[in-house]
């Protein structure tokens, strides 16, 4: 399953600017900082983030054709702000949710495995 594209556009222009105020501090959220692959413009994208042994997992709720993922892949990485701390992330690996689920750690592991989305991205923390 993936959420509709009209919702992605709405969130980009309405919800995301609001979520950027707190997403870097909430336990299940983070702010991905990346650079536009064509424009070179810096972006800050709030996302629901799950901890893994080596970094983080992000469910692709709007499907795999996301600009932030293309930017991250083109640049080879970016930075993630979580729990008030910033760290580098590299090596984006897209896979199915079921392939990514064993990598998720902590109390959110069962939640990740049950959410109705098809794809996820694993990012290595450096």
């Amino acid at each position: 399953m993936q959420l509709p594209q009209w919702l992605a556009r709405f969130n980009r222009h309405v919800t995301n600017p609001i979520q950027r105020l707190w997403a870097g501090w909430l336990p299940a959220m983070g702010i991905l900082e990346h650079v536009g692959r064509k424009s070179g413009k810096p972006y800050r994208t709030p996302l629901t983030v799950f901890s893994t042994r080596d970094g983080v997992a992000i469910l692709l709720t709007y499907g795999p054709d996301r600009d932030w993922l293309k930017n991250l892949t083109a640049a080879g990485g970016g930075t993630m702000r979580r729990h008030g701390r910033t760290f580098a992330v590299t090596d984006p690996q897209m896979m199915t949710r079921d392939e990514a689920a064993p990598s998720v750690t902590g109390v959110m592991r069962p939640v990740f495995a049950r959410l109705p989305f098809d794809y996820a991205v694993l990012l290595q923390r450096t």
Side-chain angles (χ1 to χ4, degrees):
M1 177 186 132
Q2 72 182 43
L3 297 175
Q5 296 308 303
W6 67 263
L7 184 57
R9 287 187 298 277
F10 176 82
N11 282 340
R12 179 183 293 170
H13 297 289
V14 178
T15 310
N16 287 0
I18 297 166
Q19 286 185 332
R20 280 188 209 105
L21 298 173
W22 61 73
W25 299 92
L26 293 179
M29 294 195 77
I31 298 176
L32 179 65
E33 298 173 351
H34 52 99
V35 177
R37 64 195 176 282
K38 296 176 185 175
S39 67
K41 179 181 173 183
Y43 291 97
R44 298 177 68 238
T45 305
L47 298 164
T48 302
V49 180
F50 299 85
S51 296
T52 67
R53 290 181 289 278
D54 301 328
V56 295
I58 301 167
L59 284 170
L60 297 175
T61 55
Y62 300 107
D65 189 29
R66 302 290 80 193
D67 284 332
W68 66 261
L69 180 54
K70 291 175 188 176
N71 292 343
L72 203 64
T73 301
T79 58
M80 175 70 66
R81 181 154 182 86
R82 285 192 81 200
H83 309 293
R85 296 190 174 138
T86 302
F87 54 90
V89 290
T90 61
D91 193 26
Q93 296 179 354
M94 190 177 75
M95 58 188 65
T96 67
R97 181 209 56 216
D98 294 340
E99 291 170 329
S103 299
V104 176
T105 60
V107 298
M108 295 303 285
R109 184 177 189 168
V111 173
F112 182 92
R114 293 183 190 270
L115 289 171
F117 302 107
D118 299 328
Y119 297 99
V121 172
L122 293 181
L123 300 172
Q124 300 298 313
R125 182 179 182 154
T126 59

